[in-house]
Amino acid sequence: MTPPRNLQLRRCGIATLEVMPVGVSSHWDSWLSRGASIFQIVGIGLALAGLFYTVIPLYQRAAVDEQLARPEAGLKAVESSLAEARTETYRLSRDNYLRNATRAAADECADVRQSFMTIPPGAPESEFRLRLDVDVVECVNRYLARADEVKVLNPADLVVWRDWATSIASDLEAERQSADEKVVGVRQKAAADLSVLESLGDFARRIDEFLSRYDALRTPEQRQERLHRLFDQRVERTQTSIATSYRQRASLLLFRDLEPKPWRGERRMREEATRPPAPASAASRRT
């Protein structure tokens, strides 16, 4: 039977609080405390696992990467030094080959040896010495072909040298043909105008002056023969001067300019950089 007070509270709409037994409340508090402790232990375990399986491996990997980066930096420096050494070695080989090739080409393609080499049997000396029959373009192309065979130059440098040398050889070949035409045409031009001929040397001029004193004692045929001989000497001297001038110019140009100008400039700069400083003069040391 409901007490009168509770009945009155229910009528007013106020529910009564059921009071749990003391034994039940303490039981739930004990399990909640145990669960919190378990969760704390699990959280600590997870934190330790994360430390061992994430943070420490990442740190170790960073340390290993740093240790590996040091040898890689040294290796890159060594590779760079090796690349520079290979480049310098190639340049030295290229310069040495070009120096020898241009020296040989200056001798052969300019036909310098024709001026002093042994005359073949039966060949007139004057005709042999004056012959300008070495084709410069064909001669230079032989040296380019040899460079391609020995593989001293890389393909890019070989193309550069071929373009450079072909232009110079073409200009010299035009000069050779012009000089050859002048040599052949000297006699015909001199027959109409003696001023195209060079004068005799001092020794030949004195001999001619000495012989001319006895013209009165010679017959007209002898005097005419002397004049013809004098004319032939002047013609040959002029032809020799034309041929020699061409050979000297061709030889100098081939020796000096057959190698591309940028390569010569690089070699000059390297030689100047490695050249020891000049010793101070006595006057500068005193000051």
Side-chain angles (χ1 to χ4, degrees):
M1 185 171 183
T2 305
R5 180 177 174 82
N6 292 342
L7 180 62
Q8 185 178 1
L9 291 174
R10 287 185 177 181
R11 290 176 179 174
C12 295
I14 301 173
T16 59
L17 296 175
E18 295 181 0
V19 180
M20 297 180 62
V22 176
V24 175
S25 175
S26 60
H27 178 73
W28 282 103
D29 290 342
S30 175
W31 278 106
L32 289 175
S33 176
R34 292 174 183 176
S37 299
I38 292 172
F39 282 127
Q40 289 179 357
I41 295 172
V42 172
I44 294 173
L46 292 176
L48 292 175
L51 177 66
F52 281 102
Y53 290 102
T54 58
V55 178
I56 293 178
L58 290 176
Y59 174 78
Q60 292 176 344
R61 182 174 180 179
V64 171
D65 291 341
E66 183 180 358
Q67 292 177 357
L68 291 176
R70 294 174 183 174
E72 287 180 358
L75 181 61
K76 289 181 179 179
V78 172
E79 290 177 350
S80 177
S81 300
L82 287 176
E84 292 179 0
R86 292 192 190 98
T87 302
E88 186 64 21
T89 302
Y90 168 75
R91 287 176 178 173
L92 292 175
S93 300
R94 184 189 66 187
D95 293 344
N96 183 61
Y97 180 81
L98 263 294
R99 189 180 294 111
N100 294 330
T102 52
R103 185 181 296 111
D107 181 23
E108 181 181 354
C109 301
D111 198 21
V112 175
R113 291 175 294 177
Q114 193 83 349
S115 299
F116 55 84
M117 66 185 298
T118 304
I119 302 174
E125 180 177 357
S126 59
E127 181 183 348
F128 180 78
R129 300 297 187 196
L130 300 175
R131 190 180 301 160
L132 302 175
D133 53 0
V134 177
D135 190 306
V136 184
V137 173
E138 181 182 352
C139 181
V140 170
N141 285 338
R142 289 199 298 270
Y143 282 89
L144 294 173
R146 293 173 194 170
D148 192 13
E149 292 174 0
V150 298
K151 305 299 181 184
V152 174
L153 304 180
N154 60 40
D157 284 348
L158 184 61
V159 171
V160 171
W161 190 36
R162 180 176 289 109
D163 294 341
W164 180 273
T166 300
S167 175
I168 294 177
S170 299
D171 294 340
L172 281 178
E173 175 59 20
E175 291 188 22
R176 182 193 71 85
Q177 295 178 6
S178 176
D180 190 48
E181 292 175 358
K182 290 179 180 179
V183 169
V184 175
V186 163
R187 185 174 295 275
Q188 183 178 358
K189 290 182 178 180
D193 183 11
L194 291 176
S195 63
V196 300
L197 298 177
E198 293 188 3
S199 60
L200 294 174
D202 187 61
F203 179 74
R205 180 178 56 79
R206 291 181 180 181
I207 291 178
D208 181 66
E209 290 177 353
F210 175 78
L211 294 176
S212 63
R213 298 175 184 176
Y214 301 94
D215 281 349
L217 302 177
R218 293 188 176 91
T219 62
E221 292 78 9
Q222 290 176 337
R223 289 195 296 269
Q224 192 67 23
E225 182 181 356
R226 186 183 68 82
L227 293 176
H228 279 301
R229 186 168 59 250
L230 181 62
F231 177 79
D232 291 340
Q233 290 176 354
R234 293 184 64 185
V235 168
E236 184 177 348
R237 181 180 178 87
T238 303
Q239 291 174 328
T240 303
S241 176
I242 295 172
T244 303
S245 177
Y246 160 74
R247 289 188 177 114
Q248 289 178 350
R249 170 172 168 73
S251 177
L252 178 63
L253 189 63
L254 290 171
F255 179 75
R256 185 187 61 190
D257 296 337
L258 190 61
E259 181 183 5
K261 186 177 181 180
W263 298 356
R264 286 183 279 118
E266 291 178 3
R267 185 175 69 252
R268 190 179 299 111
M269 291 177 60
R270 291 196 302 272
E271 291 175 352
E272 292 178 354
T274 57
R275 186 179 302 162
S281 61
S284 60
R285 286 197 297 267
R286 286 195 299 268
T287 57

